[in-house]
Amino acid sequence: MPLESYGWTPERQADFAPFAERGLLPGRIVVQQRSHARVMTGDGEVAASLAGKLTHEAGELDFPVTGDWVACSRRPGEGAAIQAVLPRASLFVRRAAGQAQTVQAVAANVDLALLVSSLNADLNPRRLERYLAMALESGVRPVVVLTKADVAQDAAGASAEISAALGGVEVMVISARSGLGMEALADLLAPGLTAVLLGSSGAGKSTIVNALAGEQKMATAAIRESDAHGRHTTTHRELVLLPSGALLLDTPGMRELGLWDAQAGLAATFADLEAEIETLAADCRFRDCRHDAEPGCAVRLALEDGRLDRERWESLAKLREELAQAGSRQRRPSPGKSRRSGTQRPGPASRG
Ligand SMILES: Nc1nc2c(ncn2[C@@H]2O[C@H](COP(=O)(O)OP(=O)(O)OP(=O)(O)O)[C@@H](O)[C@H]2O)c(=O)[nH]1
Ligand SMILES: [Zn+2]
């Protein structure tokens, strides 16, 4: 399998040059589970584990994740050892489930984030807001994908509502069952592009992969649509090469997406709301009005008479507070989300 199919570019080739000198092989992580991974190389897919040096020296965000480009050495016999991670074009991080202090990388080198939600009882702009902030924080284009249109009452209405509640984000309505919108979705997925599917369990992420792959790549499971509880069928992250040439990364449904150091993403998610607030604030009685309990507050007035979306306003305040709390407990170890930062630089040759 030529690595170009997996998104290898001349720029990545240049990043890899020092590792090539050390006789290492380039590859892309297609599955990552704890310390074991499957890596697509020019010679096909190999099982790989982390080299000891990487395990000992890596910071939290330096560990390879699905989508990463890595430099590997061949292990005697079969398999490979991951020696280093190449600079990342993008990195999705979240607060590790149930823990305030730990950052966890979710996916690397993603070009497009598909924020998946079912058009059933599960549909909730507040949950999508978190995914949106994460995508915008990583500089990745977000598209909301509303699934199961075949069982929806008013898909068009819901779509317009979600877009408005999320600052005008691009929204697509699809049904894997009826085929509605599937062509438009496929059109987004250009050859060599890497898209990640994010959303809660049961949203229909794996069904999308299977429909676009034309075969059963990921296991799916029926859910009780009455309460919309998914069953967490997908247990690992897997990068699938579609017949169209795009790469699609399925992820397990997250119970709760905890944001990590996503101030810029949050600001971008609420940019239109903040602009509205700023305009209104010009009419507040006090110039330094905090729109809290001050008399003559134009923002409060707009919240009361419905000109300003109260749910979004409250959500923004809550997410800000959440980030502030996480931030005061521990600063992020390294930026790690922009190209040429946070990943390991080529070092002297080592055995793994
Ligand atoms: N009616 C209808 N059902 C769908 C559609 N897409 C998916 N489903 C059903 O929704 C259920 C959950 O779909 P999955 O694809 O397993 O959901 P998932 O998001 O991958 O869930 P996890 O793997 O647990 O994260 C399955 O029963 C699917 O058959 C659709 O377009 N229409
Ligand atoms: Zn005010």
Side-chain angles (χ1 to χ4, degrees):
M1 180 66 69
L3 279 183
E4 283 72 21
S5 312
Y6 277 79
W8 188 244
T9 57
E11 197 182 17
R12 290 188 168 121
Q13 179 80 50
D15 287 336
F16 188 73
F19 299 108
E21 277 171 27
R22 287 165 51 185
L24 299 178
L25 274 180
R28 190 165 194 197
I29 298 192
V30 291
V31 179
Q32 170 73 50
Q33 281 178 306
R34 296 195 183 81
S35 61
H36 291 275
R38 297 202 61 84
V39 176
M40 183 56 72
T41 71
D43 301 334
E45 199 176 305
V46 295
S49 52
L50 297 185
K53 185 170 183 284
L54 186 55
T55 311
H56 295 124
E57 293 178 2
E60 275 163 321
L61 293 177
D62 300 332
F63 283 102
V65 292
T66 310
D68 260 326
W69 286 98
V70 293
C72 297
S73 57
R74 282 282 185 192
R75 286 202 192 280
E78 226 185 294
I82 298 170
Q83 301 289 348
V85 179
L86 296 194
R88 292 154 168 161
S90 65
L91 180 66
F92 278 33
V93 298
R94 66 160 177 166
R95 191 156 42 78
Q99 287 166 303
Q101 280 121 312
T102 319
V103 58
Q104 185 184 28
V106 175
N109 300 312
V110 168
D111 305 304
L112 175 70
L114 300 175
L115 317 181
V116 184
S117 180
S118 163
L119 280 159
N120 63 14
D122 195 38
L123 187 58
N124 173 356
R126 301 288 85 81
R127 186 177 311 111
L128 286 167
E129 231 158 40
R130 291 170 173 269
Y131 291 114
L132 183 58
M134 180 165 80
L136 293 174
E137 179 73 22
S138 326
V140 170
R141 174 187 174 193
V143 175
V144 170
V145 178
L146 300 179
T147 64
K148 311 188 193 181
D150 53 294
V151 291
Q153 301 286 338
D154 175 19
S159 159
E161 230 169 81
I162 286 290
S163 179
L166 295 172
V169 68
E170 195 177 338
V171 180
M172 302 187 77
V173 170
I174 67 157
S175 165
R177 197 151 291 176
S178 76
L180 175 91
M182 292 303 287
E183 224 168 281
L185 177 60
D187 284 346
L188 286 181
L189 306 172
L193 174 137
T194 299
V196 66
L197 293 161
L198 297 165
S200 41
S201 180
K205 300 179 296 297
S206 300
T207 304
I208 291 175
V209 177
N210 294 338
L212 294 173
E215 59 178 303
Q216 189 79 8
K217 284 278 187 189
M218 305 297 297
T220 62
I223 64 168
R224 295 193 304 265
E225 295 291 346
S226 52
D227 61 7
H229 280 174
R231 290 179 178 170
H232 295 273
T233 321
T234 306
T235 53
H236 61 277
R237 305 190 177 95
E238 181 166 348
L239 193 62
V240 174
L241 177 61
L242 299 177
S244 72
L247 295 139
L248 200 49
L249 175 54
D250 196 4
T251 64
M254 299 178 197
R255 279 192 184 79
E256 183 219 53
L257 173 66
L259 290 179
W260 182 272
D261 198 13
Q263 278 82 3
L266 200 61
T269 300
F270 290 92
D272 59 321
L273 187 79
E274 302 240 56
E276 273 183 73
I277 293 168
E278 205 183 303
T279 307
L280 287 164
D283 293 331
C284 289
R285 185 176 306 163
F286 300 106
R287 273 194 55 194
D288 60 349
C289 184
R290 296 175 62 240
H291 323 309
D292 193 4
E294 292 91 341
C297 172
V299 174
R300 281 276 148 202
L301 188 64
L303 283 169
E304 268 148 39
D305 67 21
R307 275 174 296 145
L308 206 56
D309 186 334
R310 180 179 289 276
E311 283 181 25
R312 275 189 94 195
W313 160 274
E314 283 170 358
S315 181
L316 174 59
K318 182 167 170 278
L319 290 169
R320 277 223 179 100
E321 174 62 23
E322 194 179 306
L323 284 183
Q325 287 212 351
S328 67
R329 284 202 199 98
Q330 193 193 43
R331 293 313 309 164
R332 185 176 180 149
S334 69
K337 67 190 170 206
S338 61
R339 206 173 156 72
R340 299 187 187 285
S341 69
T343 49
Q344 200 182 335
R345 306 305 307 161
S350 69
R351 289 173 197 284

